[in-house]
Amino acid sequence: MVEILAQVTSNLRANKLRSFLTMFGILWGVISVVILSATGEGFRRGNQHVLEELGKNVGIVWGGRTSFQAGGERAGRPILLTIDDVRALERESGMVAVVSPELGRGGVTVKSTYNAATLNVNGIEPQYQDIRTIEVDRGRLLRFTDNDAALRVAVIGVDATRQLFGTRESIGQTVNLNGVPYTVIGRIRKKDQDSSYNGQDNERVLIPYTAMVRDFPRGDGVKVLSNLVVAPHPWVVSQLSSVLDARTGRIEDIDWPLEREVRRVLSRQHGFDANDRNAIAMWDTSLESLMFGRMIVEMKNFFSVVGVVTLVLGGIGVMNIMLVAVRERTREIGVRKAMGATTGQIQRQFFLEGFILTMLSGVIGFAVALALCAAVNLLPMPPRFQGMVLTWQSGAWAVAVLTLIGVVTSTYPARRAALLPPVEALRFEM
């Protein structure tokens, strides 16, 4: 092995330009594979993070209008969601893991000792905070005891806190919501949220649902909600991919399992046809994650093909150079065979020369690619990109492909060298 390494080094030094051009194809192929894979993974994680800022696999449910006659009721009847619908989903649905009411009111005048603002106020139950990834960086979240006692406590978004208190401490301070005093108990962390349905969480005020019903009821009924927020069991989300694959028509026409389940339960509450898709409206973020995931998979597959093609072209370059080397060293091969070298020894020498050349190029390519990834990660990142992320799976895949190409491109020249007849090799002239 030491002798072969010395021979490879000698050949590289003797043919610097040819060696560089030979190694460059493999080197560039490895850089392409690593960079494209890291870019795709960083883009996937960044977009997934932004999607989950609204909530991970969350469904927002609104009442609509019936389009079928059912139970003696006319079509076009509005469906108004109530707290009883929340309890019905908790009792009867096997797909819904968590559900919370949400009662919102916009344009509420919120005053602190220092400033005032017009904000959205939402009454929620504590489980809502888990569904919607509501987290605090100061203070605490709403608790079930707060809701049971209808306490006048509030959790405020970071931008709303800055507007009301500036850089001052807000925890424990009193804010007046349309003149009703509430105590601030928590500040929502800064959220990189690019989608919402009733305002950004950074600018919202959250209070217990029971306190909201008492202090800020809707005019169309004390039990009427703005919407429901549901989170399905993981197995419901995992089957979405098979539902999408089994479709026979447009994606828009799919009746997704969770939405169908919510209609089934609520149809009993409100007396509409469970097949009436206009009676209930639903925004399911797990469907966005599914579609985005499919797009990322296809993008990564494309990147992989580009990287593999580049590696293959580099491998072909290595094989051609090794064939040239076999031709140039034909007399050397004849001399070695005449002195007793076996076919296996000749084949092993040329195979290892080609394989080591390929692996050396790959190692250099990996080092350059990792350095480029590290340099890019030092720069400010846009919201939907979490930097260059190389997973161990991608790294292992690249090493496996590189090894396979090294073996394949080294075997043929080595076999050609080993099969040269000694007498013909000794008589060969360039």
Side-chain angles (χ1 to χ4, degrees):
M1 181 63 71
V2 174
E3 182 181 348
I4 292 174
L5 288 173
Q7 182 69 51
V8 172
T9 303
S10 176
N11 290 338
L12 291 176
R13 289 177 177 175
N15 303 280
K16 294 183 177 64
L17 179 60
R18 187 175 72 183
S19 299
F20 171 75
L21 295 176
T22 301
M23 296 176 64
F24 183 78
I26 294 292
L27 186 147
W28 182 250
V30 171
I31 292 176
S32 300
V33 170
V34 173
I35 293 296
L36 292 175
S37 176
T39 302
E41 183 64 18
F43 184 65
R44 184 194 70 80
R45 293 190 182 187
N47 276 268
Q48 191 65 31
H49 170 73
V50 170
L51 288 174
E52 291 181 1
E53 286 290 78
L54 177 68
K56 184 177 181 179
N57 300 325
V58 57
I60 316 299
V61 182
W62 294 275
R65 287 183 177 274
T66 60
S67 56
F68 302 157
Q69 292 183 351
E73 297 286 349
R74 60 180 175 83
R77 175 169 54 94
I79 302 299
L80 302 178
L81 301 178
T82 70
I83 191 64
D84 294 334
D85 297 323
V86 175
R87 305 305 171 224
L89 285 170
E90 290 175 338
R91 288 192 313 268
E92 302 176 26
S93 177
M95 291 187 178
V96 174
V98 187
V99 57
S100 171
E102 185 170 15
L103 180 56
R105 183 167 179 178
V108 176
T109 300
V110 183
K111 292 183 179 180
S112 70
T113 305
Y114 312 100
N115 206 351
T118 301
L119 303 171
N120 291 334
V121 177
N122 293 80
I124 61 168
E125 292 184 341
Q127 66 270 22
Y128 172 97
Q129 298 164 124
D130 293 328
I131 306 173
R132 285 286 325 284
T133 61
I134 302 295
E135 300 164 346
V136 294
D137 56 12
R138 294 190 62 80
R140 67 172 177 86
L141 293 170
L142 297 175
R143 298 171 179 166
F144 285 98
T145 52
D146 300 330
N147 192 65
D148 293 341
L151 297 182
R152 286 177 172 155
V153 292
V155 176
I156 305 181
V158 63
D159 290 344
T161 300
R162 187 179 300 112
Q163 187 172 359
L164 292 170
F165 296 96
T167 58
R168 304 175 184 86
E169 178 60 71
S170 60
I171 307 303
Q173 298 291 322
T174 298
V175 292
N176 290 301
L177 311 182
N178 281 356
V180 181
Y182 276 73
T183 301
V184 178
I185 60 170
R187 183 181 72 182
I188 302 173
R189 66 166 175 82
K190 181 70 173 179
K191 299 185 72 174
D192 299 322
Q193 185 181 343
D194 71 346
S195 59
S196 65
Y197 54 94
N198 61 358
Q200 300 287 316
D201 292 336
N202 294 326
E203 302 170 352
R204 298 172 67 195
V205 178
L206 302 179
I207 65 176
Y209 169 75
T210 50
M212 186 77 180
V213 170
R214 179 192 62 212
D215 295 336
F216 308 102
R218 283 182 51 154
D220 47 7
V222 71
K223 285 188 174 184
V224 175
L225 306 175
S226 300
N227 52 267
L228 308 181
V229 181
V230 301
H233 289 287
W235 64 266
V236 178
V237 178
S238 64
Q239 73 176 8
L240 293 179
S241 183
S242 60
V243 173
L244 179 61
D245 293 335
R247 77 185 191 278
T248 57
R250 300 183 308 167
I251 294 178
E252 294 82 357
D253 296 332
I254 299 175
D255 195 3
W256 298 99
L258 181 60
E259 185 174 354
R260 187 168 59 246
E261 171 73 356
V262 170
R263 284 203 317 271
R264 180 189 67 81
V265 174
L266 298 187
S267 65
R268 299 178 182 178
Q269 294 290 115
H270 296 274
F272 62 84
D273 191 318
N275 296 317
D276 188 350
R277 298 178 64 176
N278 293 320
I280 295 294
M282 183 173 176
W283 175 23
D284 189 350
T285 63
S286 59
L287 300 181
E288 293 186 15
S289 297
L290 172 65
M291 301 303 175
F292 178 75
R294 289 292 182 93
M295 182 185 71
I296 289 296
V297 167
E298 296 302 323
M299 182 179 71
K300 292 182 73 173
N301 289 340
F302 173 75
F303 287 169
S304 299
V305 170
V306 171
V308 169
V309 168
T310 307
L311 275 176
V312 169
L313 293 176
I316 292 173
V318 171
M319 183 172 64
N320 288 334
I321 293 300
M322 290 303 299
L323 288 172
V324 172
V326 169
R327 181 177 177 83
E328 290 179 345
R329 295 162 63 186
T330 300
R331 289 182 62 82
E332 173 194 330
I333 295 169
V335 172
R336 291 193 62 189
K337 282 196 168 185
M339 295 178 65
T342 65
T343 298
Q345 289 174 330
I346 299 295
Q347 182 171 344
R348 183 163 57 251
Q349 176 188 351
F350 279 88
F351 173 81
L352 289 176
E353 284 188 23
F355 188 73
I356 290 172
L357 187 65
T358 302
M359 291 299 104
L360 180 60
S361 306
V363 169
I364 296 174
F366 267 112
V368 173
L370 292 177
L372 290 174
C373 290
V376 171
N377 289 340
L378 295 176
L379 301 174
M381 297 298 165
R384 286 187 174 271
F385 183 63
Q386 288 198 345
M388 310 291 281
V389 182
L390 181 63
T391 62
W392 71 266
Q393 294 93 336
S394 299
W397 179 85
V399 170
V401 172
L402 178 64
T403 303
L404 177 62
I405 290 175
V407 170
V408 171
T409 58
S410 302
T411 298
Y412 180 64
R415 188 66 178 166
R416 285 281 299 273
L419 293 178
L420 284 174
V423 175
E424 295 297 328
L426 288 170
R427 294 192 323 197
F428 180 81
E429 293 184 6
M430 289 294 290

